[in-house]
Amino acid sequence: MKRRSESDPTRAAGTQAVHRALSVLHVIARGRDQGVGLSSICRQAGLNKSTAHRLASALVAAGMVEQDARTRQYFLGAECHALGLVAASRFGLHHDVDAPVRRLAQHTGDAAFFSARQGAWSLCLLRHEGQYPLKSHVLQAGDRHPLGVGGGSLAMLAALPDAEIEPMLDAVMDETRLAFPGYTRECLRAEVAATRARGFAVNRGRVLKGSWGFGMPVRNPEGQVIGAFSIATVESRMTPEREQILGDLLAQEAQSLEQILCARAGASSLAPVFLSSAATAATQSKRHHHDASSHCRMVTHSLRETV
């Protein structure tokens, strides 16, 4: 039997249909308990009405999506839940990050998160709330953002080697412009440079006005970026001193998790990940000027090492 060429238009069309269906599924996931209407799916996925309706109907037939008979809103279906339960056993990292995310929320009073890297995307795995009454709701568990959008996602992008930055931007810029019009390639490049110079990522209301995000990347023993801790707060809580405190708290949890991962893998050192001795001394000098009772603060993480 004759094999189809890799350039076969039928195969290309099939691949495109899969990508579009997954795009629709991600849009519906972002709707959470409120659901998503067909017009919103069209807008967010960049599809015309007939295509969006056809793909959503196929997902409903497969049990991946449900449609409310009264409101006509779409929601994730029971099959998605079942697949999530099957996949959960492979992602032990979720158990490793629960306690650190809780600590960050308790120490700061703000919402704290851990997001995992998925290629050119960031997936929020976990959110814990702090006690401060004003909440930032810009990021929820299950949300998927392009790398560079938000504090944790920006931390991951900035921690990548220079040679990987542009390919990541190439992969997500179309979706980024569509869903987050405040972001451009130029501003993301500038944010990467600022993050590396500062030592942690700061999103000053670029995703949602008044909502600030802070992020610190986490790497595996091989030095690959696998995720990030982050904190979301409201602008009214922020001062330059508190920015540094939040960065230090994130750095502590990132370093602790990396040490756990190294011990589990039998790795002896993560020397390339941490600051040089000169940078460490400079950071310790900065800490001397902060509240000495803040026992959770530590050396800023190694984004300054990524050049």
Side-chain angles (χ1 to χ4, degrees):
M1 181 176 179
K2 186 177 180 180
R3 295 180 61 185
R4 289 180 178 174
S5 165
E6 292 295 329
S7 60
D8 187 335
T10 303
R11 176 175 294 184
T15 302
Q16 183 185 58
V18 171
H19 285 302
R20 286 178 170 178
L22 290 174
S23 178
V24 169
L25 193 62
H26 285 303
V27 170
I28 293 171
R30 289 197 290 270
R32 300 184 173 277
D33 295 339
Q34 292 74 38
V36 179
L38 186 61
S39 61
S40 183
I41 293 174
C42 294
R43 183 177 66 256
Q44 294 186 55
L47 301 172
N48 61 47
K49 187 175 181 178
S50 62
T51 300
H53 182 267
R54 175 171 52 82
L55 293 172
S57 297
L59 292 169
V60 169
M64 303 294 290
V65 168
E66 296 177 354
Q67 186 178 30
D68 187 279
R70 182 178 61 84
T71 66
R72 312 305 295 170
Q73 297 284 93
Y74 292 95
F75 301 83
L76 289 184
E79 187 65 23
C80 280
H81 176 66
L83 291 176
L85 293 176
V86 173
S89 62
R90 291 193 64 244
F91 294 92
L93 196 61
H94 189 282
H95 303 292
D96 292 326
V97 301
D98 183 73
V101 173
R102 286 184 185 276
R103 282 195 297 270
L104 287 168
Q106 291 168 357
H107 291 155
T108 65
D110 296 308
F113 314 84
F114 185 84
S115 298
R117 182 187 171 200
Q118 294 187 325
W121 297 82
S122 168
L123 175 66
C124 180
L125 296 183
L126 186 64
R127 171 180 176 134
H128 282 305
E129 297 287 354
Q131 296 301 312
Y132 193 73
L134 292 180
K135 308 293 184 184
S136 171
H137 299 288
V138 71
L139 185 65
Q140 302 290 333
D143 284 351
R144 183 172 175 264
H145 285 173
L147 284 189
V149 175
S153 179
L154 174 60
M156 286 187 253
L157 181 66
L160 296 176
D162 280 349
E164 295 184 27
I165 298 291
E166 291 302 319
M168 291 300 104
L169 295 181
D170 289 340
V172 298
M173 279 315 302
D174 287 344
E175 291 88 345
T176 300
R177 292 189 190 98
L178 189 64
F180 304 96
Y183 282 89
T184 64
R185 184 182 290 264
E186 291 70 26
C187 85
L188 284 169
R189 288 171 178 158
E191 293 281 12
V192 164
T195 297
R196 290 175 171 179
R198 187 188 304 110
F200 54 92
V202 181
N203 164 42
R204 294 184 174 89
R206 192 179 289 276
V207 176
L208 180 67
K209 186 177 181 181
S211 178
W212 286 32
F214 297 79
M216 183 67 66
V218 174
R219 294 170 180 166
N220 64 17
E222 290 74 40
Q224 299 165 327
V225 178
I226 59 171
F229 288 109
S230 59
I231 295 168
T233 187
V234 291
E235 184 177 6
S236 58
R237 297 200 75 191
M238 293 314 304
T239 64
E241 181 182 43
R242 191 164 193 263
E243 283 192 28
Q244 186 63 50
I245 290 172
L246 295 183
D248 289 347
L249 284 168
L250 289 164
Q252 179 187 20
E253 297 298 354
Q255 182 175 347
S256 295
L257 178 57
E258 288 171 344
Q259 289 172 341
I260 290 171
L261 297 178
C262 272
R264 188 175 295 158
S268 59
S269 176
L270 276 177
V273 177
F274 300 105
L275 290 169
S276 66
S277 57
T280 300
T283 303
Q284 290 173 337
S285 176
K286 288 182 181 179
R287 292 175 62 200
H288 178 73
H289 297 289
H290 292 318
D291 183 358
S293 66
S294 182
H295 64 281
C296 296
R297 288 150 52 190
M298 62 168 295
V299 176
T300 303
H301 200 259
S302 64
L303 281 179
R304 297 192 184 102
E305 295 256 334
T306 308
V307 177

